[in-house]
Amino acid sequence: MSIVDAPRFHCCGAEETIRIGFIGPLSGGNAQQGLGARNGFLLAIEQANAAGFPFKIEGVVMDDASDPQTGVAAALKLLNDSAVVAAIGHWNSSVALATIPVFQRYSTPFIVWGAISPKITEQNLSFVTRVTPTLVNENAPFAAWLAKDLGAKKIAIVSDTTDYGQANTQWFGKFFTEAGGEIISTDAVPAGTTDFRAILTRLAGLAPDALYFGGVIAEAGILRKQMAELGLNVPLVGISGFYDPEFIAIAGEAADGTMVSYPKSASNPKIDKLMADYEARNFAEPTSPYTKYAFDAANILFEVIKAHGIQDKEMLAKAIREIKYEGVLGTTSFDAQGQTQLPVEIEIKEVKNGAWATR
């Protein structure tokens, strides 16, 4: 898919213009996640410019289409623009893992707003940080909840073959077993798989209490629909990778009963203001779960740029690692590898009567 440049938003009154990049899925099955995050990014820019930021900020928005090759092309296009000071990006872990070496090579600060593979920050690339928790942080409490609260004893795992899927299989399996449950089967399929019937027919004979899916939106919707068609009447469960209205649109009536974990939102005046400002801005798209992460990621960049200027990008990257930022997520700080240290508390989202609801 093609790379998309969004209009560059700015306001008058600043002497020097800088550009801040955004990369995420703006097309394809994961677009709602990226569009909501993009709008949070643009809102942060508009508010900074209106508040008299010392530079005029232009946002440069690129589509990665949830594809690593497209993501790398977008990153290179951004980084070949000398006015780009820093960037935020990615919902898909496979895309982030492809682009972060590029940002490191170009010595450009980059904050991940969505992708949750542990490998992203385990590499400890000095120019890369992440404001979202890892999938490890979600899988641990979710596995315990399934075993102890839901009472699931036997679970089958189906994941995609990406790093995200493989890590979900590894960590969920570990935590569910430690919680006293049993993993009775594991299957891995390529991203983009549309026919799960052979796997599901075999799993029906194993009588699992639930089926854990370690992939994302489109495949999850297809999987759930085919579970219903084959009479595999057990819950589909997973972490937040398919917590999206599009999952329900694909699965249809079969979506009901699906349960996922999701990092519990902070409750504070700043997030309330973000939601009100977003609504007043009248974006064409609704918020996504990642709007707030992109909003804080952008504002962290603005805070360090305001404090240190734009000449020394290594200093900016170091300042990001050292920041203690009070934002819509709460108090964000980073560990020695650039991973957010925000504590993670999950809530359970369940599809009821065709809509996601807190269980």
Side-chain angles (χ1 to χ4, degrees):
M1 295 188 179
S2 63
I3 298 169
V4 176
D5 286 306
R8 291 170 175 160
F9 290 76
H10 59 84
C11 177
C12 57
E15 292 182 355
E16 185 175 358
T17 297
I18 63 171
R19 293 177 184 155
I20 303 295
F22 171 95
I23 315 178
L26 306 179
S27 59
N30 304 322
Q32 182 56 46
Q33 305 289 341
L35 292 168
R38 177 203 65 183
N39 293 345
F41 166 78
L42 294 177
L43 183 60
I45 290 175
E46 292 173 4
Q47 291 181 349
N49 282 329
F53 193 74
F55 300 92
K56 179 168 60 179
I57 308 168
E58 292 184 347
V60 185
V61 174
M62 313 290 282
D63 182 14
D64 65 29
S66 292
D67 175 71
Q69 185 175 351
T70 304
V72 169
L76 289 169
K77 187 170 183 178
L78 275 178
L79 293 166
N80 284 324
D81 181 347
S82 61
V84 172
V85 174
I88 69 171
H90 307 309
W91 183 73
N92 299 85
S93 293
S94 59
V95 184
L97 287 166
T99 69
I100 57 175
V102 179
F103 284 96
Q104 183 72 17
R105 187 166 69 247
Y106 278 75
S107 300
T108 300
F110 185 69
I111 300 179
V112 176
W113 55 256
I116 61 175
S117 167
K119 289 184 179 179
I120 291 167
T121 44
E122 283 174 355
Q123 296 179 56
N124 194 19
L125 301 178
S126 61
F127 285 87
V128 177
T129 49
R130 172 166 50 189
V131 295
T132 44
T134 74
L135 59 81
V136 177
N137 300 119
E138 278 194 61
N139 273 303
F142 187 51
W145 180 85
L146 287 167
K148 295 172 183 176
D149 294 76
L150 192 66
K153 304 299 182 186
K154 302 187 300 180
I155 288 183
I157 297 176
V158 178
S159 291
D160 63 38
T161 53
T162 66
D163 177 81
Y164 174 76
Q166 292 172 19
N168 275 323
T169 295
Q170 174 191 347
W171 289 105
F172 177 80
K174 175 181 184 294
F175 294 133
F176 187 67
T177 301
E178 289 175 352
E182 179 188 358
I183 301 300
I184 59 172
S185 176
T186 59
D187 288 277
V189 298
T193 294
T194 59
D195 189 350
F196 298 89
R197 292 178 181 87
I199 293 173
L200 293 172
T201 299
R202 176 172 49 80
L203 293 181
L206 299 178
D209 296 319
L211 194 162
Y212 174 96
F213 183 58
V216 293
I217 301 163
E219 292 88 342
I222 295 167
L223 175 65
R224 182 62 176 169
K225 191 171 186 178
Q226 292 176 0
M227 286 173 66
E229 291 170 356
L230 294 173
L232 186 54
N233 298 317
V234 298
L236 178 67
V237 300
I239 61 169
S240 57
F242 56 93
Y243 175 50
D244 188 284
E246 184 65 17
F247 163 78
I248 299 172
I250 295 169
E253 292 181 359
D256 274 22
T258 298
M259 291 174 281
V260 301
S261 66
Y262 184 71
K264 194 171 184 179
S265 297
S267 180
N268 59 58
K270 290 188 176 183
I271 198 163
D272 294 341
K273 183 178 185 301
L274 168 60
M275 293 299 107
D277 290 345
Y278 191 101
E279 184 175 355
R281 174 60 175 74
N282 198 30
F283 286 107
E285 301 84 13
T287 60
S288 80
Y290 292 90
T291 300
K292 57 185 179 290
Y293 290 105
F295 183 81
D296 263 9
N299 278 304
I300 288 169
L301 289 179
F302 302 158
E303 185 156 311
V304 298
I305 290 169
K306 187 175 182 178
H308 300 284
I310 61 172
Q311 298 307 314
D312 189 339
K313 291 184 178 180
E314 186 173 355
M315 179 184 290
L316 291 179
K318 184 173 183 290
I320 293 169
R321 291 279 180 104
E322 295 174 350
I323 202 168
K324 189 172 183 179
Y325 179 73
E326 299 290 340
V328 300
L329 300 173
T331 304
T332 294
S333 62
F334 300 100
D335 67 15
Q337 294 181 316
Q339 177 59 44
T340 182
Q341 298 185 98
L342 272 172
V344 178
E345 181 182 354
I346 66 164
E347 55 188 6
I348 306 301
K349 302 291 187 179
E350 181 176 358
V351 182
K352 297 180 180 179
N353 299 317
W356 287 108
T358 301
R359 184 179 169 93

